[in-house]
Amino acid sequence: GQQLNQSPQSMFIQEGEDVSMNCTSSSIFNTWLWYKQEPGEGPVLLIALYKAGELTSNGRLTAQFGITRKDSFLNISASIPSDVGIYFCAGPGGSQGNLIFGKGTKLSVKP
Amino acid sequence: KAGVTQTPRYLIKTRGQQVTLSCSPISGHRSVSWYQQTPGQGLQFLFEYFSETQRNKGNFPGRFSGRQFSNSRSEMNVSTLELGDSALYLCASSFSGAWTDTQYFGPGTRLTVL
């Protein structure tokens, strides 16, 4: 079945640093989604990408839909302590209401 | 606009028991999806309901079932609980379940099976 491989698994960075994470798949996706989950909460959508090559920003977050449609990247600039959480990439699972998720990148930010 | 709500937030059960979890979607959303989140397997799709009908199901045993009511509220049921069913169960609602619709997640129900 479809799988999303996300890396790195975890990151420990200093406040103010930039962060980069990525997601790859062996199959083509028509949509790439980036979610963030904080402790005790459900995932929250950060950025949605619908077109190959698309580059979209949401504040300090920038995500790109890879040209091959098999990968996507999320960058966070000038990280702050509230960026802490788990970042998931996701894509349509082939049926309504079905999303496939990567295993997540756990981000820790040291003040 | 109120978000997705899930009740209860925490549950402790013993093996062999059954459990029912509830999800109230965002007003106007007719699609409700359920996911299981565990440290080992991550987030996995359980099933999706739209207009009181299960349209799609993930790769889970028949012990996992659900239903949706006419007001779009949904319940999921797990029978004959096993230790491996311990997980965070998340529901998400969207307008129609289409891949272009944003799924909004609730805070989840943390189920512990002893």
Side-chain angles (χ1 to χ4, degrees), chain A residues 76-99:
Chain A
I76 305 173
S77 63
S79 57
I80 58 178
S82 62
D83 289 334
V84 163
I86 304 177
Y87 292 79
F88 293 97
C89 61
S95 56
Q96 295 106 322
N98 175 4
L99 291 177

Side-chain angles (χ1 to χ4, degrees), chain A residues 95-97 99, chain B residues 31 48 55 94-103:
Chain A
S95 56
Q96 295 106 322
L99 291 177
Chain B
S31 170
E48 186 256 3
R55 291 195 297 191
S94 69
F95 182 69
S96 71
W99 59 273
T100 50
D101 280 355
T102 297
Q103 285 195 22

Side-chain angles (χ1 to χ4, degrees), chain A residues 38-86:
Chain A
E38 297 183 20
E41 302 294 331
V44 173
L45 182 66
L46 298 172
I47 293 179
L49 302 159
Y50 298 109
K51 207 160 123 181
E54 182 181 355
L55 187 74
T56 297
S57 293
N58 177 6
R60 294 176 297 105
L61 277 61
T62 302
Q64 183 159 27
F65 192 142
I67 289 290
T68 66
R69 294 162 70 189
K70 291 184 178 183
D71 58 5
S72 180
F73 304 86
L74 176 69
N75 295 315
I76 305 173
S77 63
S79 57
I80 58 178
S82 62
D83 289 334
V84 163
I86 304 177

Side-chain angles (χ1 to χ4, degrees), chain B residues 8-47:
Chain B
R9 290 295 306 273
Y10 302 92
L11 264 180
I12 299 176
K13 293 284 186 179
T14 55
R15 275 182 300 175
Q17 287 188 309
Q18 76 163 18
V19 69
T20 299
L21 314 181
S22 181
C23 173
S24 292
I26 291 172
S27 176
H29 285 189
R30 295 168 65 191
S31 170
V32 174
S33 298
W34 287 89
Y35 295 84
Q36 181 195 65
Q37 186 176 25
T38 59
Q41 299 299 317
L43 277 144
Q44 294 186 289
F45 172 75
L46 280 156
F47 31 64

